[in-house]
């Protein structure tokens, strides 16, 4: 049929009547064609919609969805990739972005990302942020069996990064390749301390100077292994705050310890600090290896209370004894303290626990009628000239406590008022649980009782009648580290209490 014949029936269609719009008035053939045309129009519109959505609208929707999903992830996925600060009222945040998302978010980065320096008001706040930053990462590093990055210290304008390797083979990581900021020069491994309490100190090359270049990252590649990258921004910022708040000038003799818990232990630490201030310590750093409890410790200009809640016990290591796990970050804090003292130019830094008090013989403190406090006088007179040849001065530990046959309930006395010890001459007591006065300019690593690394590791054991540690461990239970001394073997030694009781009481009021 020709096109003419197909169109011919249209001639018989009556003219459009505006008053008669009803389809019923149309001829049957026109009505059928109108219905068919309506169906085809809907079909064409549906097909066009599909083509428009798949070719134009859908990619845009996906792009928007990806960005929105990423923004939601950046605010909620703290443990995996992100670290957010919640300590400030205006919700300032530090965000660590996934490398695959950096290009998408670069247009918003300058407006939304706030640096650590903007959010940290002081060293304490920065340490608390660092704790929060480290907790999920420590878990991941433990699972991956790689070193734990703990802190950064700057000495003579060079970055030093402290890693803990106490739960893995420290020798494997001692021989690994370390680089700073992907620098072509390999970083130097400065020390590996006692196995089981291992710490590594990585010294970045001299080409990366603190006053010229920011330390952004450190990478580690073990022999035959894969690369691990550690971001350094928050560590460096906390070291800057440390320089301002935890590094007082004119410190000749410093002292470091760590405690865990709240309440009474912090009162004990305060008593310990005030005693050693009397005998000549200038500044004390106390690492708190438990939850921070602001305002529960006395704020003194000569005490730095440092948040350090990095307890390793929850990670349930099966390949290390419990005692080594309990000392895990204590050792790292001691390494950190040595490096801080080295950076500050401190002459001596002392490591004891808060139940250990230094006892100096009266014969030593009266030499030349010096006006110096006893400890400063002793160190200056006997060891100042030879200090460059000394790594540490070792003090033996003499247990002190109560004679329970005389006093069943001694109550809360000053530690130095517990005056019983073994009747042996202190020089005849076997060396045990000794502690050290360290020269940080010669030593860069320390682990509870041992010098672990440095330029000069010479140790001098001091005569216990000249200088020693009075160890007041669980004094209300008796005498001896494990309360094993019999009453008949005890003697009363009031030398420390007689000399310092009144001064210490006044200092604590």
């Amino acid at each position: 049929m020709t096109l003419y014949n197909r169109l011919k029936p249209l001639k018989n269609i009556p003219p459009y009547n505006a008053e008669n719009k009803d389809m019923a008035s149309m001829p049957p053939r026109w009505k059928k064609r109108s219905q068919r045309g309506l169906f085809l129009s809907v079909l064409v519109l549906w097909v066009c919609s599909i083509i428009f959505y798949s070719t134009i609208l859908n990619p845009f929707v996906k792009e928007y969805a990806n960005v929105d999903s990423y923004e939601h992830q950046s605010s909620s996925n703290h443990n995996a990739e992100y670290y957010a600060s919640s300590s400030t009222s205006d919700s300032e945040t530090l965000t660590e972005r996934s490398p695959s998302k950096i290009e998408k978010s670069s247009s918003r980065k300058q407006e939304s990302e706030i640096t650590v320096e903007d959010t940290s008001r002081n060293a304490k706040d920065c340490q608390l942020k660092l704790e929060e930053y480290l907790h999920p990462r420590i878990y991941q590093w433990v699972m991956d069996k790689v070193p734990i990055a703990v802190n950064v210290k700057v000495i003579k304008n060079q970055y030093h990064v402290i890693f803990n390797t106490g739960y893995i083979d420290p020798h494997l990581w001692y021989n690994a390749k370390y680089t700073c900021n992907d620098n072509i020069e390999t970083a130097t491994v400065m020390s590996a301390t006692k196995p089981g309490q291992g710490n590594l100190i990585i010294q970045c090359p001299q080409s990366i100077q603190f006053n010229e270049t920011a330390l952004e990252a450190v990478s580690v590649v073990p022999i035959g292994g894969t690369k691990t990258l550690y971001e350094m921004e928050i560590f460096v910022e906390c070291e800057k705050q440390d320089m301002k708040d935890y590094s007082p000038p004119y410190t000749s003799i410093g002292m470091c310890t760590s405690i865990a818990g709240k309440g009474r232990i912090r009162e004990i630490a305060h008593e310990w600090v005030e005693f050693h201030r009397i005998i000549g310590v200038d500044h004390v750093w106390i690492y708190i290896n438990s939850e921070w409890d602001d305002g529960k410790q006395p704020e003194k200009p000569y005490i730095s209370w440092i948040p350090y809640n990095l307890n390793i016990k929850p990670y349930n290591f099966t390949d290390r004894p419990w005692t080594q796990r309990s000392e895990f970050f204590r050792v790292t804090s001691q390494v950190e303290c040595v490096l801080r003292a080295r950076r500050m130019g401190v002459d001596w830094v002392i490591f004891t626990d808060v139940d250990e008090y230094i006892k100096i013989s009266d014969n030593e403190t009266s030499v030349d009628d010096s006006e110096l406090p006893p400890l400063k006088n002793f160190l200056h007179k006997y060891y100042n000239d030879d200090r460059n040849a000394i790594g540490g001065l070792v003090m033996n530990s003499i247990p002190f406590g109560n004679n329970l046959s005389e006093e069943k309930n001694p109550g809360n006395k000053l530690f130095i008022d517990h005056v019983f010890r073994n009747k042996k001459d202190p020089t005849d007591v076997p060396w045990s649980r000794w502690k050290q006065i360290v020269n940080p300019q010669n030593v860069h690593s320390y682990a509870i009782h041992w010098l672990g690394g440095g330029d000069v590791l010479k140790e001098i054991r001091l005569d216990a009648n000249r200088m020693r540690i009075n160890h007041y461990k669980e004094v209300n239970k008796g005498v001896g580290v494990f309360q094993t001394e019999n009453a008949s073997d005890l003697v009363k030694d009031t030398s420390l209490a007689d000399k310092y009781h009144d001064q210490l009481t006044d200092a604590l009021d």
Side-chain angles (χ1 to χ4, degrees):
M1 182 182 292
T2 65
L3 179 61
Y4 173 79
N5 292 330
R6 287 181 179 273
L7 295 177
K8 186 175 181 180
L10 296 177
K11 295 180 179 180
N12 300 323
I13 296 175
Y16 175 72
N17 186 353
E19 295 180 359
N20 185 10
K21 302 178 182 178
D22 190 359
M23 291 282 291
S25 63
M26 295 182 181
R29 294 185 66 184
W30 172 241
K31 185 189 300 184
K32 182 180 291 186
R33 290 180 179 180
S34 298
Q35 291 173 342
R36 188 184 304 160
L38 179 62
F39 171 79
L40 290 175
S41 298
V42 173
L43 179 62
V44 170
L45 182 62
W46 179 69
V47 172
C48 291
S49 299
I50 293 176
I51 295 172
F52 175 80
Y53 179 83
S54 61
T55 59
I56 298 176
L57 185 61
N58 190 46
F60 174 79
V61 171
K62 286 184 177 180
E63 179 71 9
Y64 178 83
N66 285 341
V67 173
D68 182 69
S69 174
Y70 168 65
E71 290 177 341
H72 173 72
Q73 185 184 20
S74 69
S75 63
S76 62
N77 192 359
H78 166 79
N79 288 348
E81 287 292 335
Y82 304 94
Y83 166 75
S85 164
S86 60
S87 63
T88 54
S89 59
D90 55 354
S91 300
E92 297 169 338
T93 59
L94 168 71
T95 305
E96 201 178 277
R97 298 189 182 272
S98 172
S100 62
K101 302 294 183 180
I102 289 177
E103 292 181 1
K104 288 184 180 181
S105 61
S106 60
S107 61
R108 301 187 304 273
K109 184 174 182 180
Q110 292 182 352
E111 297 178 2
S112 63
E113 186 172 327
I114 300 175
T115 64
V116 182
E117 189 170 4
D118 293 327
T119 62
S120 299
R121 301 292 183 256
N122 52 45
K124 180 201 74 177
D125 289 344
C126 199
Q127 280 295 133
L128 289 171
K129 287 182 175 65
L130 183 58
E131 280 183 5
E132 188 178 356
Y133 175 87
L134 283 174
H135 285 163
R137 287 163 176 79
I138 288 175
Y139 181 80
Q140 188 59 54
W141 292 330
V142 168
M143 295 300 101
D144 294 341
K145 293 187 179 297
V146 298
I148 298 172
V150 180
N151 221 322
V152 168
K153 285 285 168 275
V154 175
I155 303 170
K156 296 181 180 179
N157 215 28
Q158 284 187 268
Y159 293 103
H160 295 71
V161 184
I162 303 172
F163 288 94
N164 190 303
T165 58
Y167 68 101
I168 52 179
D169 181 3
H171 301 291
L172 170 66
W173 297 97
Y174 184 82
N175 295 313
K177 179 182 178 181
Y178 296 83
T179 57
C180 303
N181 290 355
D182 284 333
N183 193 293
I184 193 171
E185 297 178 72
T186 303
T188 302
V189 180
M190 293 181 64
S191 69
T193 54
K194 188 179 180 183
Q197 298 170 336
N199 290 273
L200 296 178
I201 304 168
I202 309 306
Q203 179 178 286
C204 291
Q206 290 189 354
S207 58
I208 303 176
Q209 296 283 297
F210 170 70
N211 62 355
E212 297 176 356
T213 308
L215 178 61
E216 298 175 353
V218 171
S219 63
V220 184
V221 183
I223 297 174
T226 58
K227 177 179 177 180
T228 301
L229 185 69
Y230 300 85
E231 300 294 334
M232 289 287 116
E233 180 185 8
I234 188 170
F235 297 100
V236 173
E237 179 55 34
C238 285
E239 170 65 350
K240 292 177 182 177
Q241 299 290 353
D242 190 304
M243 291 176 178
K244 294 190 295 184
D245 297 340
Y246 292 157
S247 306
Y250 313 116
T251 300
S252 173
I253 302 175
M255 203 165 191
C256 283
T257 196
S258 61
I259 61 174
K262 304 177 182 179
R264 176 62 179 153
I265 186 63
R266 303 193 187 189
E267 296 175 4
I268 290 172
H270 181 215
E271 180 181 328
W272 171 84
V273 169
E274 296 297 346
F275 172 83
H276 289 97
R277 280 277 296 171
I278 291 171
I279 68 171
V281 172
D282 297 310
H283 195 85
V284 180
W285 296 273
I286 301 177
Y287 291 82
I288 300 181
N289 191 10
S290 57
E291 290 185 7
W292 183 258
D293 194 2
D294 214 356
K296 299 302 182 181
Q297 52 275 331
E299 297 297 329
K300 304 284 186 179
Y302 45 85
I303 306 176
S304 292
W305 303 90
I306 302 176
Y308 214 72
N309 186 21
L310 304 177
N311 200 322
I312 204 67
K313 292 179 185 178
Y315 300 112
N316 297 320
F317 297 140
T318 58
D319 57 344
R320 298 290 180 189
W322 178 88
T323 52
Q324 291 181 348
R325 296 202 311 271
S326 67
E327 304 288 3
F328 203 79
F329 285 105
R330 177 187 178 191
V331 176
T332 311
S333 71
Q334 291 176 333
V335 173
E336 182 178 318
C337 198
V338 170
L339 294 181
R340 178 189 295 108
R342 190 170 193 172
R343 184 239 294 153
M344 293 172 58
V346 173
D347 295 328
W348 304 98
V349 60
I350 304 166
F351 293 93
T352 76
D353 297 334
V354 294
D355 59 359
E356 297 174 325
Y357 286 57
I358 295 176
K359 167 67 170 65
I360 305 170
S361 169
D362 289 341
N363 295 330
E364 301 294 346
T365 59
S366 61
V367 172
D368 297 334
D369 295 324
S370 174
E371 295 182 358
L372 291 173
L375 180 60
K376 285 190 175 180
N377 180 52
F378 181 87
L379 294 174
H380 180 78
K381 180 173 181 61
Y382 293 106
Y383 298 104
N384 188 63
D385 293 340
D386 297 329
R387 188 164 53 86
N388 291 337
I390 298 172
L393 305 174
V394 189
M395 303 171 287
N396 199 13
S397 177
I398 309 298
F400 270 71
N402 287 320
N403 185 342
L404 297 182
S405 64
E406 294 186 8
E407 191 174 22
K408 296 294 185 183
N409 298 301
N412 290 328
K413 302 189 294 187
L414 296 176
F415 272 84
I416 60 175
D417 290 335
H418 299 275
V419 296
F420 285 91
R421 63 170 175 82
N422 188 282
K423 63 185 179 182
K424 290 180 180 178
D425 186 283
T427 58
D428 295 330
V429 175
W431 281 82
S432 174
R433 305 177 80 88
W434 60 84
K435 296 297 169 65
Q436 296 213 31
I437 302 174
V438 174
N439 179 355
Q441 305 311 317
N442 289 339
V443 171
H444 57 242
S445 183
Y446 186 74
I448 304 179
H449 305 288
W450 297 273
L451 302 180
D455 305 318
V456 178
L457 299 181
K458 179 182 178 181
E459 298 172 294
I460 298 176
R461 288 194 169 191
L462 301 177
D463 185 311
N465 282 327
R466 297 180 64 206
M467 182 184 286
R468 67 172 183 253
I469 295 292
N470 283 7
H471 192 180
Y472 301 94
K473 185 175 178 64
E474 297 188 70
V475 288
N476 292 342
K477 296 182 180 180
V479 177
V481 173
F482 301 104
Q483 290 73 45
T484 55
E485 302 284 0
N486 296 320
S488 59
D489 294 327
L490 300 180
V491 64
K492 185 178 286 189
D493 182 345
T494 64
S495 56
L496 210 59
D498 291 344
K499 186 167 185 177
Y500 295 109
H501 174 89
D502 291 343
Q503 293 182 66
L504 183 54
T505 301
D506 291 343
L508 291 170
D509 287 341

